[in-house]
Amino acid sequence: MNQLFIRSDKGEYLPGEFVCGAVYLDINAPTEGHGVQVSFQGEESVCCELQVNGLRTNVQAKQEYVDYCHTDLFTQNEPFACGSYCFPFRLRLPHQIPGTFKTTCIETSFAWSACVMYQLHANIAGAETMKVSQDIVVTAVTPENLRDNHLTRAHEIVFVPSRRLFGQKMHVTLKLIKNFLKTGENLRLRMIFTHGNQTAIHGFSMKLLQTLTLTVPSKSKIKEVPGVADKKVTVIREVAGMMPSGAYNVGNWHGVDNLMIPLKTEHGQNILPSVHGKFIKVHFDARMS
């Protein structure tokens, strides 16, 4: 039995990096195969399935980011002889691409899915049945951001709650300890409350919101699907409680240090990653109430 494998040097990559690996071929029986080709494709897509008058219709919008199609790694005039072969490859990812992403929505009359996928493919020229694929994960952060500490340094966001404290508005500053996180990790932040009097603050309430926005071409039939082109805001976590014993206060400002919020739902499910594609956008906000 003849076998074909494809392996990359790692499973997760950053935009702009090289995807390195090899195609492995074991020939144990006669074959007409005489060459090895590799393809690497990455695309963003929004696909919908509609049910109209009892009939189902599929519509979709796509954007390609990577398209190395049937690149020859090896070719010869004669079929492969019995034996084991290894063919290395090295392909470059573009610098400006969205990260890997996938989500779905299923309703009674329609269903839609949105994804950003990157896949390696290998096939044997002359033996069409011999082909194999491997998914590649791309993280939505550039090597330059990691190297220059753009995302891991703290950022400050100021909120002005509508609730007044003795006739004055209160400013709340959320200072992120780390800005680049993976799903399932803890969001760590520092909260600083500032107001114009000496009144102590005993409690707080905060929501972590996830916003999913799908934008599709104006002429696309996907526009007709209810809810697809709308913003979907989900409350990931709601934190409310008394100021902990570790809180600090000086004059007219108070603070909580190293507050941790799990990047999972209350039921322990993973949340969607941030993504900024042509059709798909996901971002997160922290709001005080």
Side-chain angles (χ1 to χ4, degrees), residues 216-248:
V216 295
S218 58
K219 296 182 180 180
S220 172
K221 291 184 178 180
I222 297 179
K223 282 282 188 180
E224 303 172 7
V225 181
V228 171
D230 297 336
K231 286 186 178 180
K232 182 180 180 182
V233 180
T234 304
V235 178
I236 301 300
R237 287 276 179 167
E238 185 169 1
V239 180
M242 304 298 292
M243 295 289 280
S245 58
Y248 52 87

Side-chain angles (χ1 to χ4, degrees), residues 261-279:
I261 303 175
L263 293 180
K264 289 186 177 182
T265 66
E266 296 288 350
H267 303 291
Q269 297 175 333
N270 289 333
I271 63 176
L272 299 175
S274 300
V275 65
H276 189 82
K278 182 175 181 179
F279 309 126

Side-chain angles (χ1 to χ4, degrees), residues 10-30:
K10 56 182 182 178
E12 185 175 304
Y13 294 87
L14 301 175
E17 285 190 329
F18 284 99
V19 178
C20 301
V23 176
Y24 300 92
L25 177 62
D26 287 333
I27 300 296
N28 300 304

